[in-house]
Every structure is written in structure tokens, then in C-alpha cells.
Amino acid sequence: MSGRVFAVASGKGGVGKTTTAVNVAAAMAEADRSVVLVDYDLGMANVGQVLDVEAADATLHDVLAGDAKPLDAVASVPSGFDVVVGGTAIEDFGRADPSKLRGVADALRSEYDVTIVDTGGGLSHDTTVPLGLADETVLVSTRQAAALENTAKTRDLVERVGGSVTGLVVTRVSGSDVADDDEVAALDVKILGSIPEDSTVADSERAGEPLVAFAPESPAGQSYRELGYELLGESPPLSFRDGDGDAEPGAAMAEMMTEDVEGTESRSLLSRVTGGLLGSNGKD
Ligand SMILES: Nc1ncnc2c1ncn2[C@@H]1O[C@H](COP(=O)(O)OP(=O)(O)OP(=O)(O)O)[C@@H](O)[C@H]1O
Ligand SMILES: [Mg+2]
């Protein structure tokens, strides 16, 4: 197998890279891909904190130190994908050799449909390694001018290290459509998705679950789900946004499904039907 490798990167820190990486991984797993998420934030590895992860025999830092094989560091999460988490001890940082990441990516590429590499902030040599080896880099930014300026630098850097930018995910959006922003348009990158500001993101972190699994019907959960499918070049099978919105793509299908069961509240039925469809995809 030769799977696709995505890097998730930003210029400014704290804009939602890890949230994006985790939720894209979960959405792609829902779309029946085998997915592994690599926590390549060498200084501040934190995927293990936002997800309830089973311990593996080794950490990414062990692998990058040459003390373990890539597949020894693979752990699984209940929401249906695998993760390679980083070590969190301060001495781990000095042990890791970023140049070994390519070998890790190659090993994972041959085992998984999709490898997603979450990166740390800043523009040091270490942080640019994944951008050069990934097939596609997904940029993440808020709409803040400072964040967008740094995104432009990161976009240029990806090209300089021989990588390729797939597009931009604009996070923590409230108010008007991001397409209306001159600053976003000036970046001249494809807008892959726009994720609303949503307090459920923090709730899902506390629960140790990806938002798309924890609250699939939340605004950000829905947007992340759409983003995951978009990156795979597919449309989500069914919209969670039922209500009475005829304009929703899944509305017609939802209506067909709700016709069969009288007296069941449409929203819960939809969730159940969708969960059933997706949950059984090739897994039983
Ligand atoms: N759509 C959203 N709505 C509300 N809060 C969000 C949203 N996306 C992210 N956050 C919050 O913003 C904070 C930073 O998110 P996250 O850790 O994903 O960013 P990051 O880019 O990975 O940060 P770092 O550069 O430190 O690795 C977290 O507390 C998260 O809960
Ligand atoms: Mg992060």
C-alpha cells in the first residue's frame, strides 16, 4: 500500500492545528479509511492529552532516537484510528532526530491509507521536516491578521522545502463568510474549510474524544466532518443537519429515511441511522 501523507501546519501557534488533525483523522476513519495520526509536536506533544489513547510500547521520540521501530509506537483510540504519540518528558526533546521522520512516514505510508502529521508551531528546521516529506500540507489559521501573515510565510516555506500546499482551513470563525475576507483571499490558497468558533471543542477535549465523534451535530463537528471528506475528494454520506433545511444536501435522503418510521423524532432517528451506516462500514 502507498497511502497519502498529510501535514497540518500553521505559522502562528494555538490556531487549531491539533484540533484539525484529530478531527480530520476521525472523519477519514468514519469514511472507512485506515488512518494514523502522528503527534510531531516535538517540544509540546499533546495529542495524548486531547485523546483517550491506549499506551503503545514506544513513543515517537523513542523512534526518532533510534530506540524503537515506527510500528512499535502505534497506539489506538476508541474512535477508530491509530496514533503515534510523542514523549512528554523534557529529556525526550533532545533525543529526537527529526531527520528520522521520513523513515517513520514511509513505514506508516505502507500500512495506512492516510497518515496525518500534526506539527508544532514556529519555523525552525525541525518543524519544516514534515512539510517537505508530506504529499500535501493543510494550512490552518484563524482570521487574525497576524496569523494570516504567518500563514503566508508558511505557505512559501512549504514550497521552498519541496512540499505542496493543498489549501487553508480557517478556524474559530464567527460572523461573516471567510470568503469575504480580503486578507484570506490575498493568500491565494484554496479554502478547504471554515470551522466555526464552538465551545463544544473544549468539551470534546475534556472528554478525550474527537469532536466529530463526541458531538457530530455541533457546528464545528459538522464542519470538520465535511473537511475530512473534502480532503478525500468525497462528499459526506448524509448531513447531520436535518431540521427543516431543504437546502441541505442530505435532506432528501434524510426525508426518505424518516418516512419509514412513524412517530420517531426525526433528529434522533437521523443520528441513529447515520451512526449505524457509518459505524458498520466494513467493520462487521
Ligand atoms: N473551532 C474552535 N472553537 C473553539 N475553540 C477552539 C476551536 N478550535 C480550537 N479551539 C481551541 O483553541 C485552542 C488551541 O487549539 P489547538 O491545540 O488545536 O491549536 P494548535 O494550533 O495545535 O496549538 P499549538 O500551536 O500549541 O500546537 C484549544 O484550547 C482548543 O480547544
Ligand atoms: Mg498543537
Side-chain angles (χ1 to χ4, degrees), residues 125 220 231:
H125 168 67
L231 288 170

Side-chain angles (χ1 to χ4, degrees), residues 60-255:
L60 178 65
H61 287 78
D62 295 328
V63 178
L64 296 178
D67 294 339
K69 296 205 170 66
L71 296 180
D72 295 340
V74 172
S76 61
V77 291
S79 26
F81 58 96
D82 289 345
V83 287
V84 173
V85 294
T88 48
I90 193 90
E91 52 271 19
D92 282 331
F93 185 63
R95 294 196 300 137
D97 171 5
S99 69
K100 288 200 166 68
L101 185 68
R102 185 171 291 275
V104 176
D106 287 343
L108 297 175
R109 193 197 282 282
S110 63
E111 293 288 323
Y112 292 87
D113 296 324
V114 179
T115 299
I116 298 174
V117 184
D118 182 23
T119 68
L123 299 181
S124 66
H125 168 67
D126 294 8
T127 55
T128 60
V129 170
L131 314 183
L133 63 80
D135 303 309
E136 300 163 63
T137 293
V138 173
L139 298 173
V140 178
S141 181
T142 62
R143 299 166 103 167
Q144 276 185 319
L148 289 168
E149 264 169 42
N150 288 329
T151 303
K153 283 189 203 150
T154 310
R155 176 204 59 203
D156 295 345
L157 190 70
V158 172
E159 278 150 25
R160 202 170 292 180
V161 298
S164 155
V165 171
T166 305
L168 169 69
V169 179
V170 187
T171 53
R172 312 198 67 164
V173 174
S174 43
S176 60
D177 193 334
V178 294
D180 298 339
D181 279 12
D182 293 342
E183 288 96 340
V184 172
L187 281 174
D188 198 26
V189 288
K190 183 181 177 194
I191 299 171
L192 297 166
S194 163
I195 313 296
E197 174 74 22
D198 187 343
S199 59
T200 326
V201 171
D203 298 339
S204 70
E205 284 169 7
R206 273 192 292 275
E209 260 191 86
L211 182 65
V212 298
F214 176 79
E217 298 172 64
S218 63
Q222 177 74 20
S223 301
Y224 270 127
R225 207 166 159 262
E226 282 164 11
L227 174 64
Y229 282 88
E230 160 82 23
L231 288 170
L232 292 172
E234 292 176 15
S235 14
L238 195 64
S239 174
F240 280 98
R241 277 185 211 151
D242 51 335
D244 47 18
D246 286 340
E248 288 298 323
M253 200 172 158
E255 237 167 64

